[in-house]
Amino acid sequence: MSNSLFSVEEARQLARKRLPRMMFDFVDGASGDESLSDLNSRALDEIRLMPRVLVDVADRDLSSNILEQETGLPFGIAPMGMCALSWPGADQHMAREAAARRIPLCVSTASSSTLEQIIEDAEGHAWFQLYADQSGDFVDELIERAKASGYKVLILTVDVPIPSVRTRDLRNGFTFPMQWGPRQIWDFATHPRWSLTTVLQCFVAGMPRPMNYVTSTQGTKFIRSASRGRANWHFLEMLRDRWSGKLVVKGVQSHQDAIRIKAMGADAIYVSNHGGRQLNAAPTTIESLKVIRQAVGADMPLIFDGGIRSGEHVIKALASGANFAMVGRSAMYGLGAGGGSGLADILDVISNEASSV
Ligand SMILES: Cc1cc2nc3c(=O)[nH]c(=O)nc-3n(C[C@H](O)[C@H](O)[C@H](O)COP(=O)(O)O)c2cc1C
């Protein structure tokens, strides 16, 4: 392996050094006292796997399938908004990896490139994540754009009814659009590698912006603190009627909600607590996964994220009832540590670990 990163934690430490503090904290941070973000990973660590012996495992195959799609790996990349803040061109790097590895890249409503560009770069290996944003017309337009550009899977994220309080972002004065002050200028000046690469990329592709908003004909502005509370049961019913492709509901933790979502015709439930970035008091996702699997039965596809920092974690999620896993911050740490090659290294690390567990 000619990689230069050998673990997600190593990538995280390097990203911490290389990214302006404001950007690192945006990725690494969580809500409240950030305990849930840590607990997600710790709960995965605490699961023990029983080694079974005398089985020939010389030939191993990590390929999988989810929602009638064949995938090269049993995990993909979770939806993350404004990825270009962690590394210029992040969406393109992720799309390229998704295409090469045949894994789904979940494209956020707040992605830094347009949803059309990303699915093209990902050679079709992209799913679209929808927020029930403040404008109904904007949501309608996004659904039509996703259909027209060939998305087969739509993920409705439902765990952001109101924006959470993220202390690190408040302390750093992290706002969108960016407010420039001495603190921010010092932060950027002391991280020249990131700042120079970002400035160069700005000449090529312009400032990082939430491009699905910028290219909307509705004039809807991206407001980071906007409520996504329009996503209620009625909205889900409407969406199920309108979207004939696969529909996934993301951010589910209660088994009662899972049962109702299944009954409403969703194709998969995405068990997630937003990586501890929303309700800090929520259960860990691995805890919810086991309860939801019991409640919905063996046939309902379950997608899992939250705290995955190794291939071992992926395997533990699958062993606990998930059909497929997604990595969030691990991918961002790879990007922050080494751009496209850092991301590739981290995906290799997680795959190789998963294959050898
Ligand atoms: C920087 C960042 C941005 C995110 N943006 C979104 C988003 O736009 N939509 C969404 O559904 N989830 C978003 N999430 C949550 C992720 O999809 C995922 O649930 C979470 O990162 C998984 O936890 P992990 O980071 O511990 O792997 C974001 C997470 C991060 C770290």
Side-chain angles (χ1 to χ4, degrees), residues 26-27 78-81 108 110 129 131 157 250 270 272 274-275 277 305-309 326-329 332:
F26 162 63
V27 171
M80 287 176 284
S108 166
Q129 177 266 319
Y131 274 129
T157 295
K250 175 175 187 274
Y270 190 148
S272 173
H274 223 98
R277 291 162 78 85
D305 78 18
I308 292 181
R309 303 290 179 264
M326 295 286 179
V327 297
R329 291 185 188 84
M332 296 289 255

Side-chain angles (χ1 to χ4, degrees), residues 17 42 58 74 88 96 136 165 168 210 247 274 312 315 322 337 356-357:
K17 280 196 199 126
R42 228 182 304 149
R96 231 171 278 143
V165 176
R168 291 200 230 179
L247 181 62
H274 223 98
E312 187 183 293
I315 298 301
S356 60
V357 169

Side-chain angles (χ1 to χ4, degrees), residues 23 26-29 37 40-41 77-83 106-111 129-131 155-160 166 228 250-251 270-277 285 304-309 326-333:
M23 301 315 172
F26 162 63
V27 171
D28 194 60
S37 170
N40 274 340
S41 297
I77 302 177
M80 287 176 284
M82 292 308 294
C83 292
C106 304
V107 178
S108 166
T109 292
S111 55
Q129 177 266 319
L130 181 73
Y131 274 129
I155 303 169
L156 174 67
T157 295
V158 293
D159 59 2
V160 191
R166 298 192 193 147
R228 278 90 188 225
K250 175 175 187 274
Y270 190 148
V271 181
S272 173
N273 56 26
H274 223 98
R277 291 162 78 85
T285 38
F304 171 89
D305 78 18
I308 292 181
R309 303 290 179 264
M326 295 286 179
V327 297
R329 291 185 188 84
S330 294
M332 296 289 255
Y333 297 144

Side-chain angles (χ1 to χ4, degrees), residues 336-350:
S341 69
L343 172 66
D345 283 1
I346 284 307
L347 295 176
D348 283 347
V349 164
I350 297 176

Side-chain angles (χ1 to χ4, degrees), residues 2 10 15 41 51 70 77 83 127 146 157 164 192 212 216 227 251 275 282 285 292 298-299 323 328 337-338 344:
S2 63
E10 197 178 310
S41 297
E70 302 295 325
I77 302 177
C83 292
W127 299 356
T157 295
S164 63
N212 296 324
S216 167
S227 163
T285 38
I292 290 178
D299 295 336
N323 298 84

